[in-house]
Amino acid sequence: MPSTAPASAATPPAPSPSRRTAFHPLTVAGVRRLTEDAIEVTFAVPEALAGSYDYLPGQYVALRTILEGRQIRRSYSICAEPVPGEIRVAIKRDLGGKFSSWANEHLKAGDVLDVMSPSGGFISKHPMNGLNHPGDLDVAGEDVFVAVAAGSGITPVIAIARTVLASSDTARFDLVYANKAAMDVMFLEELADLKDRYPSRFALHHVLSREQRISPLLSGRIDPEKLATLIDSVLPTPQVDEWFLCGPFELVQMCRDTLADRGVPAGKIRFELFSTGQPGRPEGSAGRPVAVDPGADSYSITFRLDGLQGKVASPTHARESILNAALRARPDVPFACAGGVCGTCRAKIVSGTVEMEENYALEPDELEKGYVLTCQSRPTSREVTVDYDA
Ligand SMILES: Cc1cc2nc3c(=O)[nH]c(=O)nc-3n(C[C@H](O)[C@H](O)[C@H](O)COP(=O)(O)OP(=O)(O)OC[C@H]3O[C@@H](n4cnc5c(N)ncnc54)[C@H](O)[C@@H]3O)c2cc1C
Ligand code: FES
């Protein structure tokens, strides 16, 4: 995932994309229905916690609550440009999904949820400041942005688009937004407002897979052929400085492959996945109960978190992740998706070796430095030490 350049000396430093995360109870200030299957939720951030909820457009928060007697946590991208005193997310109902169905049916103003401080690297590489300085985006000389979003993938993208367009008189933002039908389009009015406000700098291309639009290019699923035509005929491709991709796994991978085939450097492409698209238990192995028999063969896992050292035994036969084992010793070990997509569980290997199953969150340079996703990593040496603070 990308990182930001340092903020200028004249302004306070931007929040670090990988800052240590912490949960605080926040009150829901309002719930607004966006579509039949999606809501926008606004959390009030008390002044005393303002520093913990500073964020960069494109970042997400994890929400935590108890449903049916079990703790559940899910990540949601922040859908507004940085505004002091509030955090806004949009939650689309996932068919059969536990948290999103509950939120769409029951969440209301006055409810309190645990909200993790913002995190994530789906952010522009341009120097940006957080909460109190959304106008300080430096886009001089490099001001053409394109995003391809689908469904709820619009959430981080609309925050980025709003910030970019408001921050510069020259920035251009093209958005390809794919949905099944017009009734599924989240932020329909807000996107139309952006278009009215920036008619020459914001181009919006709605693509509907189950509705016929006047242009055949904007009807049907985005497949490699349609994407190629969009890239060649509609988007300002040669001038694009940054690409933002957010949507289902297959669409994001197809866009990445297509752009790579066309020679777009990987450094210009940012992407965010909400899931790996793999069927299976959504929370992976995080929190899986594992009984530890002191006499049994086990790995020894040592970890550092918030300056404190923890140690836990992990039975070799359990083949559990480092995260799963560490949670037995410290329930506050950070994680959100447990599926290798969000990067919240990142830690640095200090000694020993691990094998990492999936990685959709760490950049090659982070891997080179020894960072791993602990939700996806299992020990391969008798003793392993990781540092969550690194
Ligand atoms: C960084 C990040 C940002 C995100 N941002 C957003 C956002 O802005 N907006 C948004 O709407 N979502 C977002 N998501 C996705 C969100 O976190 C949740 O994954 C989503 O809302 C589904 O959660 P759920 O509890 O409703 O579904 P879950 O209960 O987690 O189920 C997910 C899917 O798995 C299926 N399923 C459930 N149990 C099983 C099982 N045992 N076996 C097989 N399949 C099963 C369900 O039918 C459902 O389709 C984001 C995710 C990440 C990682
Ligand atoms: S918790 Fe999301 S990548 Fe590990």
Side-chain angles (χ1 to χ4, degrees), residues 60 72 74-78 89-101 152 155-156 186 272-275 279-283 337 341-342:
Y60 66 89
I72 184 166
R74 298 287 184 268
S75 311
Y76 292 95
S77 302
I78 302 170
V89 297
I91 305 176
K92 183 171 181 184
R93 187 201 306 265
D94 200 342
L95 202 64
K98 217 181 207 173
F99 182 84
S100 62
S101 303
S152 57
T155 6
M186 293 164 69
E272 182 85 302
L273 295 167
F274 287 176
S275 78
R281 207 163 157 266
E283 282 185 344
C337 72
V341 294
C342 75

Side-chain angles (χ1 to χ4, degrees), residues 23-331:
F23 281 95
H24 299 280
L26 294 187
T27 303
V28 174
V31 175
R32 182 168 70 99
R33 188 143 291 283
L34 297 174
T35 68
E36 202 175 307
D37 280 326
I39 50 171
E40 181 188 66
V41 182
T42 305
F43 291 96
V45 177
E47 219 177 309
L49 288 177
S52 303
Y53 290 93
D54 206 359
Y55 66 91
L56 296 168
Q59 292 197 300
Y60 66 89
V61 290
L63 306 181
R64 189 175 68 182
T65 191
I66 308 272
L67 287 186
E68 294 163 11
R70 286 199 58 174
Q71 194 185 84
I72 184 166
R73 59 170 97 180
R74 298 287 184 268
S75 311
Y76 292 95
S77 302
I78 302 170
C79 59
E81 68 274 47
V83 178
E86 63 175 46
I87 290 276
R88 280 175 198 248
V89 297
I91 305 176
K92 183 171 181 184
R93 187 201 306 265
D94 200 342
L95 202 64
K98 217 181 207 173
F99 182 84
S100 62
S101 303
W102 170 82
N104 267 270
E105 282 159 32
H106 302 294
L107 196 62
K108 56 182 187 319
D111 287 350
V112 175
L113 293 184
D114 288 339
V115 181
M116 194 178 79
S117 37
S119 179
F122 186 57
I123 50 182
S124 173
K125 286 227 171 171
H126 293 82
M128 272 201 272
N129 286 303
L131 199 57
N132 301 316
H133 300 273
D136 287 346
L137 179 70
D138 176 9
V139 293
E142 304 175 298
D143 56 2
V144 181
F145 302 80
V146 170
V148 181
S152 57
I154 190 65
T155 6
V157 167
I158 195 169
I160 296 168
R162 281 170 163 159
T163 311
V164 160
L165 289 164
S167 307
S168 151
D169 290 337
T170 52
R172 171 172 178 175
F173 202 105
D174 271 53
L175 169 61
V176 177
Y177 185 19
N179 278 283
K180 286 187 188 127
M183 62 184 276
D184 300 315
V185 177
M186 293 164 69
F187 300 112
L188 187 63
E189 278 172 27
E190 289 80 354
L191 290 169
D193 284 351
L194 269 186
K195 198 146 177 38
D196 288 346
R197 203 177 319 157
Y198 308 107
S200 60
R201 297 197 287 119
F202 179 56
L204 177 57
H205 315 283
H206 281 295
V207 181
L208 301 179
S209 62
R210 293 193 190 159
E211 260 176 40
Q212 201 58 39
R213 304 207 67 211
I214 294 168
S215 159
L217 182 60
L218 302 178
S219 314
R221 285 178 70 78
I222 300 183
D223 55 15
E225 208 179 1
K226 195 182 290 293
L227 181 64
T229 315
L230 284 164
I231 286 174
D232 288 335
S233 59
V234 177
L235 300 173
T237 305
Q239 300 105 48
V240 178
D241 177 55
E242 272 187 315
W243 294 82
F244 295 93
L245 314 172
C246 190
F249 182 79
E250 295 75 19
L251 177 68
V252 169
Q253 292 300 83
M254 183 187 68
C255 291
R256 291 179 67 204
D257 290 347
T258 304
L259 293 173
D261 286 350
R262 286 164 177 256
V264 176
K268 285 188 169 190
I269 305 168
R270 335 238 155 276
F271 65 96
E272 182 85 302
L273 295 167
F274 287 176
S275 78
T276 57
Q278 305 292 326
R281 207 163 157 266
E283 282 185 344
S285 71
R288 175 161 67 98
V290 169
V292 184
D293 171 359
D297 205 17
S298 62
Y299 299 111
S300 170
I301 298 170
T302 307
F303 60 94
R304 202 173 116 93
L305 175 63
D306 294 336
L308 295 174
Q309 186 157 302
K311 196 165 186 167
V312 64
S314 174
T316 49
H317 65 80
R319 289 192 46 76
E320 66 177 333
S321 65
I322 290 187
L323 171 68
N324 199 66
L327 282 168
R328 260 199 306 284
R330 289 270 301 266

Side-chain angles (χ1 to χ4, degrees), residues 60 75 286 323 334-346 358-361 372-376:
Y60 66 89
S75 311
L323 171 68
F335 78 94
C337 72
V341 294
C342 75
T344 311
C345 64
R346 185 186 95 142
E358 304 281 11
N359 168 33
Y360 301 103
V372 294
L373 300 173
T374 56
C375 73
Q376 298 296 310

